[in-house]
Amino acid sequence: MKIAIQGIKGSFHEIAAKQFFGNGIDLVECMTFTEIPQLLKNNQVDFAIMAIENSIAGAILPNYALIDEYDLSIEGEVYLNIHHHLMGLKGQNLQDIKEVWSHPMAILQCRKFFRNHPNIKLIEEKDTAEVAQRIQKENIKGVAAIASKSAANLFDLEVIEDDIQTIKNNSTRFFILKKEKNNNINPLKNKASLKFITKHETGSLAEVLDIFAKHEISLTKIQSLPIIDKQWSYAFFIDLIYDDNVLYNNALHLIQKKVTHVKVLGEYERNTEKL
Amino acid sequence: MKIAIQGIKGSFHEIAAKQFFGNGIDLVECMTFTEIPQLLKNNQVDFAIMAIENSIAGAILPNYALIDEYDLSIEGEVYLNIHHHLMGLKGQNLQDIKEVWSHPMAILQCRKFFRNHPNIKLIEEKDTAEVAQRIQKENIKGVAAIASKSAANLFDLEVIEDDIQTIKNNSTRFFILKKEKNNNINPLKNKASLKFITKHETGSLAEVLDIFAKHEISLTKIQSLPIIDKQWSYAFFIDLIYDDNVLYNNALHLIQKKVTHVKVLGEYERNTEKL
């Protein structure tokens, strides 16, 4: 099975992929999120893993836009507790480090640590683990990567500082994506991600949420997005959990009359290992 | 009147400050958002301006956390249509530029442009305008800033590329913040920002939104935030617009019985110049 990930082996996306699919997978490494839809559409991979939100940085809105634009299907989710470690060549210590090269999300999640070390220059790179690999390959002194313990082991680097993320309980949610929905009935499905656009009327969102509540469906996430170029129009991304598939389908049928647009981005089994 | 802004003169925060307060203000420049609450609390400034969300990058969650933690009061809002321009020393052109130094939010909003120019190294800095100033002061060749036209004029730099933001309609919303709420009745107030935590029951959010709808109050934003360390508990940040102050206060009174926690982050006059 071929799985596209953002980043290289040793990245958090690889850890998420292994948690979901186990070890017998063939990873296709991507340097940007935008390569992922194309690989799926061209059948070059079976699935892809994409980070979608983080407890510190919030939702990664551009990734929601990619899923929506390319009509990808969300087939599952993984929650990972993210531990960021500062690492460099063996023998290097914090005073030796002049620059840190890392992914902007990783830098953002370690903001407080770097505020206390203002002399370290922060340089944006495309992948956390790729920097770790490069430091080792090219024997780069004075530069540190922010990456996982598995990257430190894989690339034989020294962990200079442990757990430098601002909030110790830093959880990232990843989606497992497929090219398109299949309509197989999977009795294990109990979570859904939807996008909808409400009518321009006071109370239109309340009506939609009321239908879900009456069908014993709970929200686990809601996020409004202003629709660019359409003043006072809002799209909503929501995640729902349900136990009864019939009630869920009835609710979905009923809300279609209440909104101007609704799209199921995916129906999948909820990940209960949330930390 | 002393106003704290993130960044220096020439920054988008200065433009937002002038749009709200006019020209007769005394700006206090801050290099990070986290300095702002302290300045307000110590009465070193009367107001502060803080970016809170952007149509491309989404909400700046750490800033919501600062407002909440320090019990600041939101006194107003400004929407600015953000135009990012790439600028360097006079005579420099795009081929000369090896590095861009800028704020991570500005880099994020210009992601597509830099994807097409992968040879330019992206380096994180604290403020967009401060980089423009430094390039000019220290005569730095080969480096460009991402900043406003007013920064290019102020620091006598050449605009190398116009409008490099990914979405041409790139709007940022700023809050005007005060140390604490005053309870003066201002008949112009017609918008509110609230935080609340719902009971752990299916339909609890629908009930709250239903109360607002029945009181002719519209939502203009909703965002759920998982409460760290409390599985399945959610806080919501919402913005409401209303025309009748009595109905608004009645609704606020009623929802207190439906939620475990509610906090008014601010009541203010809505900015109608949204682009």
Side-chain angles (χ1 to χ4, degrees):
Chain A
M1 208 155 46
K2 280 192 160 183
I3 316 286
I5 58 168
Q6 197 270 323
I8 64 167
K9 278 171 198 164
S11 70
F12 293 105
H13 279 77
E14 187 205 9
I15 300 171
K18 283 190 172 165
Q19 188 172 312
F20 194 83
F21 293 105
N23 283 313
I25 50 173
D26 185 5
L27 291 177
V28 176
E29 301 171 345
C30 297
M31 275 303 105
T32 65
F33 283 123
T34 42
E35 293 168 47
I36 287 177
Q38 223 51 59
L39 285 170
L40 285 166
K41 287 296 169 192
N42 298 339
N43 298 311
Q44 291 168 278
V45 295
D46 302 294
F47 292 95
I49 308 274
M50 190 185 259
I52 197 70
E53 59 185 313
N54 173 273
S55 48
I56 298 172
I60 307 172
L61 293 185
N63 285 359
Y64 269 105
L66 288 176
I67 293 168
D68 189 19
E69 277 167 36
Y70 287 88
D71 295 317
L72 305 180
S73 174
I74 304 165
E75 299 285 312
E77 62 176 354
V78 169
Y79 286 93
L80 263 196
N81 216 353
I82 301 282
H83 294 273
H84 285 302
H85 309 287
L86 195 73
M87 58 193 70
L89 288 175
K90 291 256 157 98
Q92 296 259 293
N93 59 41
L94 195 54
Q95 291 84 279
D96 301 321
I97 301 305
K98 307 291 173 236
E99 295 187 0
V100 165
W101 303 349
S102 196
H103 190 276
M105 285 292 278
I107 294 173
L108 183 65
Q109 291 163 25
C110 303
R111 192 58 84 205
K112 203 171 159 190
F113 176 82
F114 292 113
R115 212 178 292 141
N116 296 331
H117 296 88
N119 296 328
I120 297 177
K121 205 167 167 183
L122 301 170
I123 299 185
E124 290 204 355
E125 290 284 344
K126 294 209 168 69
D127 182 51
T128 56
E130 189 276 333
V131 173
Q133 184 187 48
R134 202 170 353 137
I135 289 172
Q136 196 261 344
K137 258 191 184 166
E138 302 176 12
N139 198 40
I140 304 171
K141 285 181 184 139
V143 173
I146 305 169
S148 64
K149 252 203 178 125
S150 92
N153 293 336
L154 196 59
F155 304 120
D156 201 29
L157 295 179
E158 180 141 346
V159 172
I160 295 168
E161 286 277 335
D162 262 311
D163 273 318
I164 62 166
Q165 68 277 5
T166 301
I167 297 179
K168 294 309 164 201
N169 204 340
N170 176 23
S171 165
T172 294
R173 182 183 181 213
F174 298 83
F175 277 156
I176 287 81
L177 300 171
K178 235 183 121 175
K179 181 183 177 178
E180 58 205 352
K181 242 192 299 290
N182 64 40
N183 288 315
N184 296 351
I185 290 164
N186 174 353
L188 296 176
K189 287 180 181 176
N190 53 17
K191 189 165 183 179
S193 295
L194 311 186
K195 179 195 177 186
F196 58 85
I197 297 171
T198 51
K199 290 177 188 165
H200 182 182
E201 287 164 15
T202 299
S204 51
L205 177 63
E207 280 187 27
V208 170
L209 298 192
D210 195 46
I211 290 171
F212 288 128
K214 288 200 171 110
H215 290 77
E216 291 164 35
I217 297 165
S218 295
L219 262 74
T220 61
K221 182 202 165 89
I222 181 163
Q223 162 132 23
S224 62
L225 278 187
I227 299 170
I228 292 174
D229 297 327
K230 274 198 177 172
Q231 204 169 350
W232 309 122
S233 283
Y234 294 87
F236 298 90
F237 286 105
I238 61 168
D239 290 342
L240 306 169
I241 52 174
Y242 54 91
D243 291 311
D244 184 323
N245 206 47
V246 175
L247 284 176
Y248 164 72
N249 281 312
N250 288 349
L252 210 55
H253 182 74
L254 286 172
I255 72 155
Q256 284 173 2
K257 294 169 195 163
K258 299 284 180 189
V259 298
T260 59
H261 170 85
V262 61
K263 180 176 172 182
V264 178
L265 303 172
E267 291 156 354
Y268 46 93
E269 190 184 352
R270 76 186 80 142
N271 177 333
T272 50
E273 292 170 85
K274 185 175 173 184
L275 294 169
Chain B
M1 205 156 48
K2 281 195 158 178
I3 317 286
I5 59 168
Q6 196 269 323
I8 64 167
K9 278 171 198 165
S11 71
F12 293 106
H13 279 77
E14 186 204 11
I15 300 171
K18 284 191 171 164
Q19 188 172 312
F20 194 83
F21 292 106
N23 283 313
I25 50 173
D26 186 4
L27 292 176
V28 177
E29 301 172 346
C30 297
M31 276 302 106
T32 64
F33 283 122
T34 42
E35 292 167 48
I36 286 177
Q38 223 52 59
L39 285 170
L40 284 166
K41 287 295 168 192
N42 298 340
N43 299 312
Q44 292 169 276
V45 294
D46 302 295
F47 292 94
I49 309 273
M50 190 185 259
I52 198 70
E53 58 184 315
N54 173 273
S55 48
I56 299 173
I60 306 172
L61 293 185
N63 285 0
Y64 268 105
L66 287 175
I67 294 168
D68 187 21
E69 276 167 36
Y70 287 89
D71 295 318
L72 306 179
S73 173
I74 304 165
E75 298 285 312
E77 62 175 354
V78 170
Y79 286 93
L80 262 196
N81 215 354
I82 302 282
H83 294 272
H84 286 302
H85 309 288
L86 195 73
M87 58 193 70
L89 288 174
K90 291 257 158 95
Q92 295 259 292
N93 59 42
L94 194 53
Q95 290 85 278
D96 300 321
I97 301 306
K98 307 291 173 237
E99 295 188 0
V100 165
W101 302 350
S102 196
H103 191 276
M105 284 293 276
I107 294 173
L108 183 63
Q109 291 163 25
C110 303
R111 193 56 85 205
K112 203 171 158 189
F113 176 82
F114 292 113
R115 212 178 293 141
N116 295 331
H117 296 89
N119 295 328
I120 296 177
K121 206 166 165 183
L122 301 170
I123 298 184
E124 290 204 356
E125 289 285 345
K126 293 210 168 67
D127 182 51
T128 56
E130 189 276 333
V131 172
Q133 186 187 46
R134 198 168 358 134
I135 288 172
Q136 197 261 341
K137 258 193 185 163
E138 302 177 13
N139 197 40
I140 304 171
K141 287 182 183 138
V143 173
I146 305 169
S148 65
K149 256 210 173 115
S150 92
N153 293 335
L154 195 59
F155 303 120
D156 201 29
L157 294 180
E158 178 142 346
V159 173
I160 296 167
E161 286 275 336
D162 263 312
D163 274 318
I164 62 166
Q165 69 277 4
T166 302
I167 296 178
K168 294 310 161 199
N169 203 339
N170 176 22
S171 165
T172 294
R173 183 182 180 213
F174 297 83
F175 277 154
I176 287 82
L177 299 172
K178 233 183 123 178
K179 182 184 178 179
E180 58 206 350
K181 243 192 297 291
N182 65 40
N183 288 316
N184 296 352
I185 290 164
N186 174 353
L188 296 176
K189 286 180 181 177
N190 55 16
K191 188 165 182 178
S193 295
L194 310 185
K195 179 195 177 185
F196 59 84
I197 297 171
T198 51
K199 290 179 187 163
H200 181 181
E201 285 164 16
T202 298
S204 50
L205 177 63
E207 280 186 29
V208 170
L209 298 192
D210 195 46
I211 290 171
F212 289 127
K214 289 200 170 110
H215 290 77
E216 291 164 34
I217 297 165
S218 294
L219 262 74
T220 61
K221 183 202 163 87
I222 181 163
Q223 163 131 24
S224 62
L225 278 187
I227 300 171
I228 292 172
D229 296 328
K230 273 197 176 174
Q231 204 170 348
W232 309 122
S233 284
Y234 294 87
F236 298 90
F237 286 106
I238 61 169
D239 290 342
L240 304 169
I241 52 174
Y242 54 92
D243 292 310
D244 185 323
N245 205 47
V246 175
L247 284 176
Y248 164 72
N249 281 312
N250 288 350
L252 210 54
H253 182 74
L254 286 173
I255 71 154
Q256 283 173 3
K257 295 168 195 163
K258 298 285 181 188
V259 298
T260 58
H261 171 83
V262 62
K263 181 175 172 183
V264 177
L265 303 174
E267 290 156 356
Y268 46 93
E269 190 184 351
R270 74 186 83 141
N271 177 332
T272 49
E273 293 171 84
K274 184 175 171 182
L275 295 168

